[in-house]
Amino acid sequence: MIRQQGRFFHLCDGAISYILEILDDGTPGHVYFGAAMADLELEDLEYMARRCGKSTGTVKAIAGTSFSLADQMLEYPVYGTTSFLEPALAMEQEGMPLYLRLAYTGFEIRDGKEKSMPGPQTRPDPKAQSLILHLADRDAQVEVDLSYTIYMQGATVVRSAKITNLANCPRNLTHAASGVLNVRDTGWNWIHLNGSWARERQIVEQALVPGTAVIESLTGASSHQCNPWNALVKSPDSPASCQGDNNLAYGCNLVYSSNFKAQADINEFGLLRVMEGIHPLTFGWTLQPLASFQTPEMLLFCSIEGLDGLSRVSSRFLRDHLINPNFVYKRRPVCLNSWEAVYFTLNEQNLLELAREAAKCGIDCFVVDDGWFGHRDLDNSSLGDWYPDQKKFPSGLDAFARQIRSLGMQFGLWFEPEMISEDSELYGKHPQWAVKPPAGQYSVGRSQLVLDFSCPEVVEYIFRQMCQVIESTKLSYIKWDMNRSITEAYSQYLAQEKEGQKEFFYRYIYGVYALYEKLTEAYPDVLIEGCAAGGGRFDPGILYYSPQIWTSDNTDAFDRLKIQCATSLAYPLSTLSNHISQFPSHQTGRTFTSEFQKDVALFGIFGYELNLIEDHRFSPADLTGQIGQYRQMEPAILHGDFYHLASPFASNEPAVALYWDGKRPQSAPKTASNSHQVLSKQEQAFVGFYQTLSSLHSIYRPALPLPFLADGQYLIQPLQAQSSMQLHLDLEEENPGKQTSDSQSARNMEPEVIRGQLLRHDGLRKPVKNNGSNRNVAQFIGDFQAMIMELKKIG
Ligand code: DGJ
C-alpha cells in the first residue's frame, strides 16, 4: 500500500516499508527502507526524518539558508548541484552541460503494474502498486518521472526513471542510472560476485570506507567478471554491530544484460548509497524534442534475516514477478547435451547412438550443441548460416529430430544468434552486419565477430532463419549461446541512420531482447536456456525470457560448489542449469565419484553432458535412479527456499538445504502448464552435505541447525528415488562389487525419526567421520564425499 502523508510517501508491502520525503528545495530525499511499519502517522514520519544538520562547510542549495544536498540522502542525484557524488542523471545540449534543478511537481499512485517499456521488466500484477513522482525543471524544459513499484509481500522496491526533453531542440543524456539505494549508518560490507570464464560469480566481501567502490561490466554482456547483483550486510566487527539490527541486509540488481555500473559511495558525512544503472562510459542517448528515455529497472531488496534471508527474498521475487511465467514453476526436461560427449565431431550416426542410450536412461530431451550447421567442423566458421550441415546429417536434421522424438525424447538445438563468422555465407553477403570499425584493426574472439543487433533488419533476418529450423525440426528446447565480448563497437547501421555510436550497446541488447520477444511469442512452449560462454550473461534481463541459464562451462563439481553457492545468493535454484559431465573433468582434470557430481548438480536444474557410450561409470539404471532423485527434489527446487548452511568459500564441509512447505506460492497461477507431475502437498526438505578434502583436523561441528523446520516429527533418510531404489538393489545383486554411495549410505544409515524442534535448534547430525564410533551415521571417508538427506514430516 502506498500513502502520501504531507511531504512524505510511504510504500509498504507488508514485509518492508520504504519512505521518502520531498526536501526543502523540492528534491526527493530518502527517509527509511527496512522492516514494515504499518499505520505511521505524519508525526511519526516527521520524527523519522529528523536529522542533525551537517551542512557546515558545504555549498548551500538555497541562498540564505543552511540547506545543502551534500548531507541529504538523495533519491535521484543530478549533475551540477550541491551534491558532489557522481550523478544518476546528467544531460547536455550542444556539448554544454545542463544544470538541472529538478523539483517535485506532483505524484500519482497507480494500482497494478503495467508493461511500461519494451524489453524485460517486472511483470504486470493487479495487486502491485506504483508511485510515480513527477519532477521538472521548467526553465530547462526537462521532466523526470521516478517510479517505485511494490508487490505484496515482495520485500522489494522496483525503481526506474523516465526522462523527457520538453525543449524544441535535441538534448543528450550522458548519465541515466536506474536508481539509488540509500543506507543509514556506517559499518557495512559490500558483497558482490566477481569471476572469469569457468570461475563465474565468486563471492567478494569488502568493507566499505569513505570513497567509491565500483563493480562494472564493459564487455557488452552483464559479464563473467562482475554480476549486477550486489548486497550490503553489516560488518560483524563494526561499531554498527551494537545497534541491534545486524541482520538487516540490502540487495540490488538490474534488469539489464549489457554494460552496467554499480557503485557504493560513502561521503564525508558517512552517508552510504549504492547507485546502479547503464554504464555511463559506453552510453549516450539523443533525446529529440518531446522524446523520453526510460531506464531499465533496478531491484532493491531488503531482508531482516541477513544475507541468506536476502537470497530468499531475491529468489522469490524473481520467480514470482520476473522470470518467464510459462516455465518458472514448470517441470523441466532433463537434457543430455552433446557438447562434452562429441564436441565438433558430431554426426547423425554418433548422435543417434548417444540418443539411444539416453532414451534407455529416462532422459527427456536430447540437445545437439554446437557444430550442426553450415560447415562448422571447428569454432572458426559458419556462425550466421543457420541451416543443417548436409554432410553431418545426410538424412536431414528434421528426419534426425523425428528419430529423437520416436525414441520418446524432446529435441533441442544450440544457436549462437548474435554472432557471425568471417567464414560464412552471411558474411559474404552482408559484411556490413558485423560490428567493427569501417577501417583499421579489429579484434576477433573465438574466430568470430558480433552481429549488429542494433539493426532491426539483422534481428529479423536471424529470426527468420531460426523459425525455419524450429519449425522443420519441431524442437522443444534452444540453448542460446553468446561466446565473445564486444570490442570496437562500431555499427554501420547507426552511422547510416545518423544515430550516435554511444547508443550502440543499449540498442544492441534491446535487439537481443527483441529477438527473444519474437521467439517467445511465436513459440511460447519452446524452452530457451540462456548461455554466454558458460555463465557470462546471468542476469534478470535474460531470466525474463530464459527460465534457466547454463551456470558455467566449468562442471568440475568441486568448483561448481562455489559457483552454485554464489549464484544462488542472487538467483533462484530453478535458474541454475547443472550437468554431470565427463570424467575426469574436461576443465580441471579432477576426478570425482559420480555421486559427488550428482549430489552437487542436483541443487538446480539437473542434466547431463556425457558420452554415455564411452563412460562406463554409469549403467542406465544409475541414470534412471539419479533422474528419479531429481524428480523427487524438483518441486522443492521450483517452489522452495534455499538455505546456505555452510559456505564452500569458508568451509571444507559445505552444506545446503532446500525446503518447501508444500504450498504453491500465491502468485503461481494454477494452469496446466504450471502443474507438476509429482506436485507434493507435503512439506519437503533436502539437506546436502559435502566433504571436499578429507581432513583429520577439520573443525568439529557435528550438527547443522535447520531453522525452517516446524515442530513435529521428521523421518530422516538418505535421498533415494523410489523408482531407482529397486534398480539399485537389482544392480547390486548382479554386481555385488559395485557400490554406489547411495547404497553404501543406505546401509550405514538407518532411517531415523527426530523432532523438528531439536533439528531446528540443535541441528541435523552430519554424516561425517567421527572416530568410527557413531553407529547409524554414514561416514565420509576420503575427498569429495557427499550425501543428500531427505526429511519428511510424519507427524
Ligand atoms: C560455450 C558454451 O558455454 C558451451 O556449453 C558450449 O555450448 C560451447 N560454447 C559451444 O561452442
Side-chain angles (χ1 to χ4, degrees):
M1 201 188 76
I2 300 176
R3 281 176 78 191
Q4 186 227 357
Q5 291 164 280
R7 65 192 164 97
F8 297 98
F9 294 90
H10 180 184
L11 295 78
C12 183
D13 67 4
I16 53 99
S17 281
Y18 188 99
I19 300 170
L20 44 90
E21 66 178 320
I22 304 302
L23 298 168
D24 293 356
D25 69 341
T27 303
H30 183 76
V31 177
Y32 173 85
F33 185 25
M37 289 190 281
D39 306 326
L40 290 177
E41 299 299 336
L42 190 55
E43 68 224 42
D44 302 321
L45 297 168
E46 292 288 1
Y47 182 78
M48 291 170 75
R50 199 192 301 164
R51 278 191 289 274
C52 329
K54 298 253 190 203
S55 69
T56 313
T58 61
V59 182
K60 308 300 179 281
I62 306 171
T65 71
S66 61
F67 181 78
S68 169
L69 295 179
D71 63 343
Q72 305 287 341
M73 295 192 284
L74 300 178
E75 286 289 317
Y76 203 65
V78 174
Y79 174 72
T81 63
T82 52
S83 155
F84 293 97
L85 294 179
E86 187 159 334
L89 177 68
M91 288 176 81
E92 291 177 348
Q93 181 177 320
E94 292 171 3
M96 294 292 290
L98 280 179
Y99 296 112
L100 299 175
R101 286 244 177 164
L102 290 172
Y104 169 77
T105 58
F107 75 97
E108 283 167 69
I109 294 174
R110 294 186 191 151
D111 286 332
K113 162 86 178 12
E114 282 151 28
K115 196 164 163 51
S116 57
M117 55 182 164
Q121 59 203 280
T122 51
R123 303 264 168 199
D125 180 344
K127 286 188 269 158
Q129 257 196 336
S130 301
L131 168 70
I132 318 293
L133 280 187
H134 300 301
L135 314 178
D137 182 329
R138 300 270 184 237
D139 297 333
Q141 296 181 296
V142 172
E143 266 179 13
V144 173
D145 284 349
L146 298 184
S147 103
Y148 302 80
T149 300
I150 50 170
Y151 291 80
M152 283 308 119
Q153 294 291 336
T156 303
V157 177
V158 180
R159 294 197 54 176
S160 90
K162 183 172 164 191
I163 301 118
T164 305
N165 173 23
L166 295 174
N168 56 13
C169 59
R171 261 77 180 273
N172 294 317
L173 266 179
T174 61
H175 289 61
S178 296
V180 171
L181 165 79
N182 287 284
V183 182
R184 300 177 300 177
D185 303 336
T186 51
W188 291 88
N189 284 0
W190 202 27
I191 299 188
H192 45 92
L193 307 174
N194 173 279
S196 58
W197 173 76
R199 197 181 60 88
E200 292 88 342
R201 292 174 295 285
Q202 306 291 299
I203 298 174
V204 175
E205 177 163 7
Q206 70 184 99
L208 288 173
V209 294
T212 297
V214 174
I215 54 169
E216 62 191 347
S217 167
L218 291 166
T219 66
S222 47
S223 88
H224 294 88
Q225 290 81 356
C226 285
N227 192 274
W229 176 89
N230 58 91
L232 291 169
V233 295
K234 281 273 169 77
S235 141
D237 52 2
S238 82
S241 58
C242 340
Q243 291 172 3
D245 54 358
N246 280 332
N247 269 336
L248 192 59
Y250 296 107
C252 302
N253 212 333
L254 193 66
V255 188
Y256 190 61
S257 311
S258 184
N259 297 347
F260 74 92
K261 181 174 180 181
Q263 60 188 89
D265 306 273
I266 297 185
N267 76 358
E268 70 268 43
F269 306 111
L271 293 176
L272 164 60
R273 60 152 215 199
V274 176
M275 183 167 79
E276 186 154 13
I278 298 173
H279 202 306
L281 185 66
T282 53
F283 174 74
W285 194 263
T286 305
L287 271 179
Q288 296 298 345
L290 300 183
S292 299
F293 179 86
Q294 180 155 5
T295 70
E297 289 176 343
M298 179 183 179
L299 311 175
L300 278 58
F301 308 109
C302 176
S303 167
I304 51 168
E305 289 176 22
L307 184 64
D308 214 41
L310 190 75
S311 79
R312 291 184 286 279
V313 165
S314 109
S315 289
R316 284 188 211 128
F317 184 84
L318 294 175
R319 279 191 321 215
D320 288 352
H321 304 299
L322 185 114
I323 297 172
N324 186 340
N326 270 354
F327 295 99
V328 65
Y329 291 112
K330 195 175 172 187
R331 180 184 198 267
R332 306 290 171 83
V334 171
C335 298
L336 176 77
N337 178 297
S338 67
W339 182 239
E340 286 201 14
V342 285
Y343 293 104
F344 288 111
T345 66
L346 61 86
N347 58 48
E348 200 173 279
Q349 207 180 331
N350 62 16
L351 289 176
L352 263 179
E353 276 175 49
L354 207 55
R356 286 195 190 102
E357 272 315 294
K360 284 188 215 158
C361 306
I363 302 269
D364 303 297
C365 179
F366 186 81
V367 180
V368 179
D369 206 281
D370 196 355
W372 59 266
F373 53 92
H375 57 278
R376 189 158 165 97
D377 298 324
L378 265 182
D379 65 6
N380 57 6
S381 82
S382 308
L383 293 168
D385 297 344
W386 298 110
Y387 51 80
D389 183 341
Q390 299 276 319
K391 279 203 308 316
K392 292 178 184 162
F393 296 94
S395 335
L397 189 65
D398 41 356
F400 176 78
R402 261 199 309 280
Q403 300 213 51
I404 297 297
R405 277 194 299 280
S406 71
L407 289 169
M409 291 182 292
Q410 298 174 348
F411 180 64
L413 268 186
W414 179 95
F415 287 90
E416 195 175 4
E418 301 155 64
M419 297 292 151
I420 181 166
S421 305
E422 285 175 288
D423 177 5
S424 68
E425 281 184 21
L426 184 62
Y427 192 76
K429 274 198 257 163
H430 295 290
Q432 79 285 9
W433 282 1
V435 175
K436 65 183 171 73
Q441 294 197 352
Y442 55 91
S443 317
V444 177
R446 213 190 187 214
S447 310
Q448 65 199 51
L449 301 177
V450 180
L451 265 177
D452 185 357
F453 263 46
S454 73
C455 171
E457 192 189 347
V458 174
V459 174
E460 183 62 28
Y461 178 87
I462 295 295
F463 173 61
R464 294 269 153 238
Q465 286 216 1
M466 290 179 78
C467 288
Q468 270 181 16
V469 183
I470 293 170
E471 282 164 29
S472 66
T473 61
K474 299 192 175 50
L475 57 73
S476 310
Y477 165 105
I478 289 172
K479 177 170 167 189
W480 178 326
D481 206 346
M482 192 266 187
N483 277 300
R484 67 154 285 182
S485 303
I486 304 178
T487 53
E488 297 98 14
Y490 184 88
S491 153
Q492 294 201 28
Y493 164 76
L494 291 180
Q496 186 191 309
E497 295 292 305
K498 309 223 175 332
E499 303 285 4
Q501 294 293 332
K502 277 212 152 184
E503 299 192 359
F504 173 76
F505 282 100
Y506 177 87
R507 287 183 183 270
Y508 174 89
I509 203 66
Y510 275 79
V512 170
Y513 295 148
L515 180 58
Y516 256 118
E517 203 96 35
K518 282 165 175 284
L519 288 169
T520 48
E521 265 172 41
Y523 310 104
D525 296 329
V526 171
L527 190 161
I528 306 179
E529 174 163 325
C531 173
R537 204 163 58 180
F538 206 124
D539 60 67
I542 295 299
L543 289 173
Y544 181 79
Y545 304 102
S546 280
Q548 61 193 58
I549 298 178
W550 182 228
T551 314
S552 174
D553 274 349
N554 186 349
T555 46
D556 170 310
F558 174 60
D559 288 348
R560 270 293 185 115
L561 273 174
K562 287 187 179 160
I563 296 172
Q564 292 172 204
C565 162
T567 308
S568 60
L569 279 183
Y571 301 100
L573 274 201
S574 60
T575 64
L576 277 65
S577 175
N578 300 338
H579 291 176
I580 292 191
S581 60
Q582 293 287 99
F583 169 90
S585 161
H586 279 191
Q587 292 77 43
T588 63
R590 214 173 344 238
T591 55
F592 302 99
T593 60
S594 56
E595 288 73 26
F596 186 76
Q597 288 184 296
K598 174 211 43 145
D599 286 349
V600 173
L602 273 176
F603 285 92
I605 302 303
F606 185 67
Y608 295 92
E609 194 116 354
L610 276 182
N611 192 327
L612 296 175
I613 315 285
E614 288 168 10
D615 195 321
H616 301 296
R617 291 176 303 157
F618 300 105
S619 68
D622 289 330
L623 262 66
T624 315
Q626 296 181 346
I627 295 170
Q629 293 187 345
Y630 171 67
R631 290 294 175 217
Q632 265 183 264
M633 290 176 65
E634 194 181 35
I637 290 170
L638 298 178
H639 300 272
D641 282 332
F642 190 54
Y643 291 77
H644 304 81
L645 299 179
S647 164
F649 291 91
S651 169
N652 192 38
E653 293 173 5
V656 295
L658 182 58
Y659 171 75
W660 183 42
D661 62 8
K663 294 182 195 129
R664 185 184 295 280
Q666 277 197 333
S667 54
K670 292 185 181 106
T671 62
S673 71
N674 277 334
S675 72
H676 199 283
Q677 257 200 349
V678 285
L679 189 63
S680 155
K681 291 264 178 308
Q682 227 193 354
E683 222 179 287
Q684 287 190 308
F686 301 93
V687 180
F689 285 109
Y690 306 90
Q691 172 174 287
T692 49
L693 295 182
S694 175
S695 167
L696 265 182
H697 301 291
S698 62
I699 307 291
Y700 182 61
R701 193 179 168 203
L704 287 172
L706 304 179
F708 43 84
L709 292 184
D711 290 339
Q713 309 268 27
Y714 287 85
L715 174 70
I716 303 170
Q717 57 190 345
L719 173 66
Q720 283 188 297
Q722 272 143 30
S723 60
S724 73
M725 253 172 17
Q726 191 53 43
L727 291 167
H728 274 296
L729 293 178
D730 294 348
L731 205 71
E732 275 172 36
E733 264 166 35
E734 261 173 43
N735 185 1
K738 186 175 187 289
Q739 291 174 353
T740 67
S741 75
D742 293 331
S743 55
Q744 194 174 8
S745 311
R747 251 199 309 279
N748 286 349
M749 189 178 166
E750 299 293 326
E752 293 180 283
V753 176
I754 309 284
R755 288 169 61 200
Q757 172 183 272
L758 199 149
L759 295 167
R760 201 165 63 234
H761 298 302
D762 184 57
L764 175 68
R765 283 10 243 178
K766 288 158 74 172
V768 289
K769 185 179 174 195
N770 182 19
N771 294 332
S773 63
N774 45 350
R775 282 185 303 118
N776 280 349
V777 175
Q779 298 189 352
F780 278 178
I781 300 169
D783 298 341
F784 306 127
Q785 300 290 310
M787 183 192 278
I788 297 178
M789 288 199 212
E790 183 181 12
L791 283 78
K792 282 191 191 142
K793 186 134 185 272
I794 54 167

